[in-house]
Amino acid sequence: MYDIMENKNSFDAIIVGGSYSGLAAAMALGRALRNVLVIDSGKPCNKQTPHSHNFITQDGKTPKEIATVAKEQVLKYKTVKFHNGHATTGIKTNNGFEITALSGEVFTAKKLLFATGIKDLIPNIVGFSECWGISIIHCPYCHGYEVKNEKTGIFGNGEYGFEFSKLIHNWTKELTLYTNGKSTLTEEQTQKLKNHNIEIVESEIEKFEHNDGKIQNIVFKDGSKTTVKAIYSRPSFEQHCTIPTTLGCELTEHRHIQIDAFQKTSIHGIYACGDNVTFMRSVANAVAMGTLSGAMINREIIEEEF
């Protein structure tokens, strides 16, 4: 098992996605003496995020720093290989699965793991994309401490806007909900926010003025503007990789890949982990799911071959 297979393009497992979750899975499988291929295009969704937090021993480091060290450590396991590129298609075979890369190379494996993340669908508002991950943020547990007690906005409406306002109120009392149009909150929700001094602004937003991604002002279509330190937003998303669904993997009602408690998808032999399966988008959570995925894949191979 430890020796490299005769077919250099054949593996025990292929991991599509080489960020934190994929790297953690690769380490678990490498330590289990499995021949593993990690296919990664080098485009993590948090590439603009200046610092990562709430990951013990790594608090405050840049995402790139963490990923670089992680990859160096994973590569110490000689049965783990990397392919720098993009996985384009996947098919089920008699012996497992086949993945074709953009380069045209074809790789086969007994098991597949998708750690491919999601693609945020950024609102078409000037300045949003430049601020995303820097001062327009999605997670208070990851970034809330750094903007605690600052003048903060919530970009949202309806049930989502209400629930997010309740959550962020824990980090700052200088909080405003920007609905970017007519509010769809219920009368009860509106009154609760007012009772907690959370203002509701319905004016439509024209742009976000910023300095290198650090938001300065919200400019409205009526010509007015207001200053904020940070804005919380959770844009819609889609799966970054469509191969799981083409292979038959089911999605949840929220468009995540459906998995069980052991990271298994609805298709036997295919696993998924990281942001593509959960709303809890954090480095620590991605690593935990990746480690579990690696162990479960190894266990499944053992059960099938012993």
Side-chain angles (χ1 to χ4, degrees):
M1 177 172 58
Y2 185 80
D3 295 331
I4 300 298
M5 297 178 178
E6 287 185 14
N7 183 351
K8 66 182 180 66
N9 283 1
S10 183
F11 299 87
D12 290 316
I14 292 175
I15 300 171
V16 184
S19 193
Y20 313 104
S21 208
L23 289 170
M27 178 174 282
L29 285 163
R31 291 182 59 81
L33 311 182
R34 295 298 179 185
N35 291 289
V36 182
L37 177 68
V38 181
I39 301 175
D40 185 59
S41 60
K43 297 178 181 178
C45 67
N46 64 353
K47 60 185 177 183
Q48 286 194 172
T49 305
H51 300 285
S52 176
H53 293 283
N54 218 22
F55 184 14
I56 198 158
T57 76
Q58 306 298 314
D59 192 55
K61 290 188 177 180
T62 67
K64 186 176 182 180
E65 282 181 295
I66 299 172
T68 298
V69 173
K71 186 173 181 179
E72 289 174 354
Q73 292 179 345
V74 169
L75 280 172
K76 291 179 181 178
Y77 297 93
K78 301 305 181 183
T79 57
V80 180
K81 306 298 178 186
F82 278 78
H83 175 78
N84 297 317
H86 183 73
T88 55
T89 60
I91 62 172
K92 182 79 174 70
T93 67
N94 291 332
N95 298 316
F97 302 92
E98 184 177 282
I99 294 290
T100 301
L102 187 62
S103 63
E105 290 183 83
V106 177
F107 306 98
T108 62
K110 300 170 187 174
K111 307 295 176 183
L112 291 182
L113 171 62
F114 290 96
T116 43
I118 57 175
K119 179 182 179 181
D120 294 304
L121 302 177
I122 302 300
N124 188 26
I125 300 176
V126 174
F128 192 106
S129 61
E130 290 85 352
C131 295
W132 181 235
I134 300 173
S135 58
I136 299 181
I137 51 184
H138 79 286
C139 175
Y141 298 100
C142 299
H143 309 293
Y145 186 85
E146 283 63 46
V147 290
K148 64 184 183 300
N149 302 322
E150 296 282 2
K151 190 174 181 181
T152 301
I154 303 290
F155 182 77
N157 207 345
E159 185 71 18
Y160 155 74
F162 175 70
E163 291 297 330
F164 214 179
S165 296
K166 283 170 57 180
L167 177 63
I168 304 306
H169 189 256
N170 180 72
W171 277 266
T172 180
K173 302 303 181 277
E174 291 193 70
L175 188 60
T176 302
L177 174 62
Y178 297 98
T179 59
N180 193 34
K182 184 174 176 57
S183 170
T184 57
L185 279 78
T186 66
E187 289 185 16
E188 182 182 2
Q189 289 171 336
T190 299
Q191 190 57 52
K192 275 195 173 184
L193 294 186
K194 288 181 178 179
N195 290 345
H196 287 85
N197 297 315
I198 299 174
E199 186 182 0
I200 301 169
V201 174
E202 298 179 90
S203 301
E204 291 188 36
I205 297 171
E206 179 178 324
K207 63 181 178 180
F208 297 108
E209 292 181 336
H210 65 94
N211 182 14
D212 291 331
K214 296 179 180 179
I215 194 165
Q216 308 294 312
N217 300 297
I218 303 174
V219 180
F220 300 98
K221 290 183 179 180
D222 62 11
S224 63
K225 67 168 60 176
T226 187
T227 301
V228 292
K229 183 74 173 182
I231 292 177
Y232 286 91
S233 176
R234 287 180 179 167
S236 298
F237 68 88
E238 61 185 15
Q239 286 291 323
H240 193 262
C241 178
T242 60
I243 298 175
T245 52
T246 60
L247 286 169
C249 296
E250 295 180 8
L251 300 182
T252 69
E253 61 178 317
H254 300 295
R255 302 183 304 283
H256 290 112
I257 299 174
Q258 183 176 298
I259 57 168
D260 66 9
F262 303 106
Q263 308 296 140
K264 296 181 180 182
T265 71
S266 58
I267 300 298
H268 179 74
I270 303 180
Y271 292 70
C273 60
D275 291 353
N276 57 6
V277 302
T278 180
F279 281 115
M280 190 65 178
R281 296 173 64 179
S282 73
V283 175
N285 195 46
V287 169
M289 285 191 288
T291 301
L292 177 60
S293 296
M296 292 300 100
I297 289 171
N298 180 59
R299 180 67 181 178
E300 187 168 278
I301 295 173
I302 289 172
E303 289 296 329
E304 291 173 354
E305 296 184 348
F306 190 78

